[in-house]
Amino acid sequence: METFLIRALQLVLSLSLLVIVHEGGHFFFARLFKIRVEKFYIFFDPWFSLFKYKPKNSDTEYGVGWLPVGGYCKISGMIDESMDTEQMKRPPQPWEFRSKPAWQRLLVMIGGVLMNFLLALFIYSMILYAWGERYTALGDMTYGMKFNEQAQKIGFRDGDILKRADGKELTRFNMDMIRSVVEAREVTVLRNGEEKKILMPELSLLDVAKEDPMFMDLFCPNVVDSVLAGGGFAKAGIQKGDSLLAFNGRPLASWNEFQHEMNVLKAKAELEKKTSAEFSLVYSRAGVRDTVNVQTDSNFKVAAIGSIPDYKVTEVDYGFFQSFPAGVTLGINTLKGYVNDMKYVFTAEGAKSLGGFGTIGSIFPKVWDWQRFWEMTAFLSIILAVMNLLPIPALDGGHVLFLLYEIIARRKPSDKFLEYAQVVGMFLLFGLLIWANFNDVMRFLF
């Protein structure tokens, strides 16, 4: 329950900040061009609001709604989510959105997206200023990588050190590196001191991300680093420094393979409705081999930790002014990666992987971690900017599309057309919202 509350609080705080900044972008440009803003709300307020306040001599009512699916600015003289069509039947007024030039209306509509992207760049810059960067360079991973069966069929070998993808240098192990390898036509690795080129087939990052074991992972030697008293390994006599050679007769060359075999054993036992499992293990100590039977606990654990290579950690610290160009680079690279991955959303598997508030909340840590919180907030700010630019009526991108049509064709779409488009767009958005949260429910139940 405590974990749920911590994640829920982080989610609400993050989304509230993003909504304020996004709607603040619309508000800023509207007021800049002397367009009246009737409402500025965090979250939606159908039927009632949790809080509202209208300053004296102000045209704008500020408030907090009860439906946490976004926020809105009600701008005079435009067809938006408020569906105030009565206002549109009256003659245009000088302070209304519809009375302003198309270029001003365009800036009002992209103001939210612009502010979200600028916020992400600022947050990334401040993260680098406050915490710097800490990572292990691929070149320092002397044990190389562990590859699954599919990767081995392509041509990779356990222990390969990744060097380049399509000629681009690979520097660190993260999602960007995996994306670069999966989408490359040629990958260069260092194997036994020599560079080898591997020709890549056409792969889907979405399919690769679901593979178990992973397409590639940090290679961990098949050596036991520590054994906890009272656990399955300790009871079987396994000690620190022992090398694991075989699991139920299947050879082991790494701790990665041992973990995979444990996952397979657990899945099989759960299908058979067992609460623990037993397996045979061949190990070596000081060159002497032996075979023992190991019993897992009720969580299918053996209370032992594998040997993780103690690689050199590269540390990069940034001064205040240095952090901004580095933050901009990080933000742009994150944006490129997200836009590149958008193509998977429009596939059958991508539709199944969509998630709602539960999925978004789960990306926040179980304990409060300010660095992780700001990293996720910056990433969500980029997501919000990209999603709002989609050319769907009811989103900013839909309004932008119609404004571009007006600029090019030199005539406005009719109010009736815009009204119908807004209804269709809202129907699509609510359908998408329901589908995403339905996926969350199904994942929780099954």
Side-chain angles (χ1 to χ4, degrees):
M1 185 62 178
E2 182 181 356
T3 296
F4 171 79
L5 291 175
I6 290 174
R7 281 178 163 166
L9 181 59
Q10 291 180 88
L11 176 63
V12 171
L13 181 60
S14 179
L15 290 182
S16 298
L17 173 63
L18 298 181
V19 168
I20 290 173
V21 170
H22 182 89
E23 300 304 331
H26 295 309
F27 183 90
F28 171 78
F29 282 104
R31 300 305 299 134
L32 180 66
F33 300 129
K34 296 181 171 50
I35 301 172
R36 184 173 294 175
V37 179
E38 299 174 14
K39 279 186 170 186
F40 185 97
Y41 264 69
I42 303 173
F43 306 145
F44 288 106
D45 62 330
W47 304 297
F48 68 93
S49 61
L50 300 178
F51 168 80
K52 61 182 177 181
Y53 171 68
K54 188 173 184 179
K56 187 177 180 181
N57 301 323
S58 173
D59 297 316
T60 308
E61 176 184 293
Y62 301 90
V64 178
W66 60 270
L67 188 60
V69 292
Y72 72 99
C73 278
K74 187 178 185 304
I75 297 174
S76 295
M78 73 172 291
I79 298 173
D80 58 11
E81 53 271 355
S82 67
M83 295 304 294
D84 186 1
T85 55
E86 291 301 315
Q87 184 183 72
M88 304 301 292
K89 295 177 182 178
R90 298 191 289 268
Q93 301 299 318
W95 61 80
E96 289 187 332
F97 179 83
R98 56 180 165 164
S99 300
K100 301 300 178 179
W103 69 270
Q104 291 186 2
R105 285 180 279 133
L106 183 63
L107 284 175
V108 171
M109 294 318 305
I110 66 173
V113 168
L114 177 63
M115 290 303 176
N116 274 131
F117 187 56
L118 291 177
L119 174 66
L121 298 182
F122 177 74
I123 292 176
Y124 279 131
S125 299
M126 291 300 95
I127 289 172
L128 294 176
Y129 173 64
W131 290 285
E133 287 186 282
R134 304 290 183 271
Y135 65 92
T136 301
L138 286 172
D140 292 329
M141 294 182 178
T142 52
Y143 282 100
M145 309 300 293
K146 171 67 181 175
F147 298 92
N148 68 7
E149 185 177 354
Q150 181 187 2
Q152 301 242 7
K153 288 179 179 178
I154 292 172
F156 292 100
R157 295 293 177 265
D158 289 346
D160 283 352
I161 298 174
L162 297 167
K163 299 290 290 182
R164 293 180 294 277
D166 285 341
K168 179 184 176 183
E169 205 72 26
L170 300 172
T171 58
R172 63 189 75 181
F173 183 55
N174 56 21
M175 196 62 205
D176 287 336
M177 182 275 288
I178 295 175
R179 182 187 295 108
S180 296
V181 170
V182 169
E183 297 182 349
R185 299 275 63 85
E186 181 183 87
V187 176
T188 303
V189 301
L190 186 65
R191 181 183 303 164
N192 300 324
E194 295 183 10
E195 288 195 354
K196 302 285 185 181
K197 296 187 183 299
I198 299 171
L199 298 179
M200 298 291 293
E202 188 170 338
L203 298 173
S204 164
L205 182 62
L206 193 63
D207 292 336
V208 167
K210 295 187 299 181
E211 290 178 3
D212 183 24
M214 295 172 61
F215 185 84
M216 67 178 75
D217 199 359
L218 175 67
F219 186 93
C220 295
N222 57 341
V223 178
V224 178
D225 181 73
S226 60
V227 176
L228 304 182
F233 264 29
K235 292 177 180 178
I238 305 296
Q239 300 177 9
K240 177 179 179 178
D242 289 350
S243 298
L244 308 185
L245 304 180
F247 186 108
N248 281 345
R250 286 183 287 278
L252 297 175
S254 67
W255 186 264
N256 311 69
E257 293 175 3
F258 170 74
Q259 289 180 311
H260 174 65
E261 293 294 345
M262 286 293 296
N263 290 337
V264 172
L265 185 72
K266 177 183 177 181
K268 181 180 178 182
E270 288 179 339
L271 284 175
E272 297 172 354
K273 302 189 183 305
K274 295 180 180 178
T275 56
S276 64
E278 184 178 272
F279 59 92
S280 68
L281 187 69
V282 179
Y283 71 95
S284 172
R285 181 184 304 157
V288 179
R289 296 162 60 102
D290 196 5
T291 302
V292 293
N293 289 328
V294 181
Q295 181 73 40
T296 72
D297 63 17
S298 57
N299 292 317
F300 298 94
K301 304 294 184 184
V302 292
I305 300 174
S307 179
I308 300 176
D310 186 20
Y311 293 133
K312 169 191 170 185
V313 176
T314 300
E315 300 184 6
V316 183
D317 294 316
Y318 296 90
F320 182 74
F321 293 106
Q322 292 174 315
S323 68
F324 286 98
V328 169
T329 299
L330 177 57
I332 291 175
N333 288 338
T334 303
L335 173 64
K336 287 179 179 177
Y338 182 71
V339 171
N340 182 69
D341 294 343
M342 280 291 292
K343 60 178 177 284
Y344 298 113
V345 174
F346 304 102
T347 65
E349 286 299 318
K352 292 179 184 176
S353 67
L354 283 176
F357 294 115
T359 297
I360 298 172
S362 68
I363 70 176
F364 288 96
K366 297 178 181 179
V367 295
W368 198 281
D369 182 331
W370 278 112
Q371 182 179 358
R372 185 66 175 163
F373 169 80
W374 288 117
E375 288 172 348
M376 292 301 98
T377 300
F379 183 54
L380 289 176
S381 194
I382 286 178
I383 291 176
L384 185 61
V386 173
M387 294 300 290
N388 265 281
L389 267 183
L390 293 177
I392 299 175
L395 288 178
D396 296 342
H399 291 286
V400 168
L401 179 66
F402 297 139
L403 281 166
L404 291 175
Y405 166 80
E406 178 184 339
I407 292 171
I408 295 170
R410 299 186 179 278
R411 63 188 181 92
K412 293 182 181 181
S414 69
D415 288 345
K416 186 59 66 176
F417 172 81
L418 293 176
E419 181 183 334
Y420 288 149
Q422 185 74 20
V423 171
V424 171
M426 291 179 68
F427 177 79
L428 290 173
L429 289 180
F430 278 108
L432 182 63
L433 185 66
I434 293 170
W435 173 255
N437 284 282
F438 172 75
N439 283 345
D440 280 352
V441 173
M442 296 303 289
R443 290 188 194 105
F444 176 77
L445 294 177
F446 302 102

